[in-house]
Amino acid sequence: MMAGELPQIVFEESVTSTNDVAIERGREGAPHGWCVCAREQTEGRGRRGHVWTSPAGSIYLSCVLRPGVRMQEFTALPAVCAMGVIDTLRELGLAERVGIKWPNDIVARVAAGEDEPFDRKLAGILVEAKASTDGPFAVVGLGVNLHPLTVEGEGPQVSPQALEPISLDELMGGDGCPDAQELAGMLRDAMIARVDAWAAKMATMQAGMGPMAPILSEYFDMVPMLGKQVAVIAPTGHVMDTGTFSGLDIWGRAVVITPAGEQNYPSEAVSLRQI
């Protein structure tokens, strides 16, 4: 493999979990950028252990990341990879239709327009940090709704605060939507480009600067909920607080201005919902 050349993507029809496949390969020494893509997962998972319903009609891919930074700085990787997904969607002409729901879900609005809400979920990201004899690595898993989802039986089990899904086909009106293999290549390349650029900046940062510092200003521009009134939701679905989503700190925690003052919330503990 030539310097700068990424490994070929491995395509599978169905796997238990693309993250599990990539983690196993990462432990075996798979290089930075190695990626597996499947049309279906039988045991997919999301953040905080949630079940990720993974029917055929979507694409699921997971990439091995070896950014060469300290493991504690991996906390920025979900946001960095989400920015790569937005880069791809902008390339497809959807710049005004998509954004990031903190920390890393990809959300969309049905129609372009400043007053239209970003209230549909297009894609989800799960990053898992692991260790191996070759050093620490991460796996980024991405699930994208490529076509309208049709699930037989009772349908997917989602939490009450979950957004209704939308597919890339629906967003693009069925015109010009890439096929699964082409889209997987675009997404993998864009995420790796973002990770490499972020890692290069981290190498020049002063000690003590958090991992979000190199990307904060650009990340903010991709988060439509910023500046809006939000509810802070516990994993149980309980509303913990309400306030204004005012930004992020350099460690990626959401800064919410509540009646009791400024509060910082880690993504592992809460989610935000616009109200």
Side-chain angles (χ1 to χ4, degrees):
M1 187 170 63
M2 296 175 59
E5 182 182 349
L6 294 174
Q8 286 191 342
I9 297 175
V10 176
F11 290 95
E12 302 284 359
E13 192 63 31
S14 179
V15 298
T16 54
S17 161
T18 56
N19 261 33
D20 285 347
V21 174
I23 288 169
E24 182 179 356
R25 290 301 305 273
R27 285 175 171 154
E28 293 171 352
H32 180 62
W34 186 93
C35 183
V36 59
C37 179
R39 294 181 181 272
E40 180 185 43
Q41 296 183 121
T42 59
E43 298 177 18
R45 61 181 180 275
R47 293 176 57 235
R48 298 199 295 267
H50 291 169
V51 174
W52 181 271
T53 302
S54 310
S58 300
I59 63 169
Y60 310 97
L61 67 152
S62 295
C63 302
V64 173
L65 306 177
R66 298 187 187 275
V69 302
R70 294 178 300 171
M71 198 170 188
Q72 58 263 42
E73 294 167 340
F74 284 11
T75 53
L77 285 173
V80 173
C81 292
M83 293 169 73
V85 177
I86 293 293
D87 291 340
T88 299
L89 297 172
R90 286 176 171 176
E91 189 176 342
L92 295 175
L94 296 172
E96 302 302 320
R97 304 280 298 280
V98 296
I100 300 171
K101 179 181 180 291
W102 175 83
N104 55 280
D105 279 346
I106 305 301
V107 292
R109 46 188 175 191
V110 176
E114 292 184 1
D115 296 329
E116 296 290 336
F118 289 81
D119 59 356
R120 307 287 289 276
K121 183 171 178 176
L122 177 63
I125 292 174
L126 172 67
V127 174
E128 298 182 271
K130 300 294 177 180
S132 71
T133 55
D134 295 320
F137 69 97
V139 164
V140 54
L142 172 66
V144 182
N145 302 325
L146 188 55
H147 304 295
L149 300 181
T150 55
V151 182
E152 296 181 357
E154 297 180 355
Q157 297 179 355
V158 295
S159 59
Q161 67 266 27
L163 298 178
E164 183 180 351
I166 193 169
S167 69
L168 188 58
D169 224 6
E170 291 170 290
L171 274 181
M172 300 186 70
D175 182 24
C177 183
D179 65 27
Q181 291 198 9
E182 180 184 0
L183 182 62
M186 295 172 67
L187 289 165
R188 189 278 301 268
D189 293 355
M191 289 193 295
I192 294 299
R194 279 285 184 178
V195 169
D196 289 348
W198 165 78
K201 290 180 180 178
M202 285 300 302
T204 67
M205 299 291 291
Q206 295 181 354
M209 295 295 288
M212 289 291 291
I215 62 168
L216 266 183
S217 60
E218 191 176 3
Y219 179 80
F220 285 160
D221 291 339
M222 298 181 181
V223 181
M225 196 185 292
L226 197 64
K228 303 292 197 304
Q229 289 293 115
V230 298
V232 181
I233 311 294
T236 59
H238 173 70
V239 177
M240 298 171 56
D241 216 333
T242 60
T244 302
F245 181 23
S246 67
L248 302 177
D249 65 17
I250 57 175
W251 294 98
R253 295 174 296 193
V255 180
V256 180
I257 307 300
T258 74
E262 181 178 296
Q263 306 291 332
N264 290 20
Y265 295 99
S267 61
E268 296 82 5
V270 305
S271 60
L272 300 182
R273 183 182 67 216
Q274 189 171 334
I275 56 177

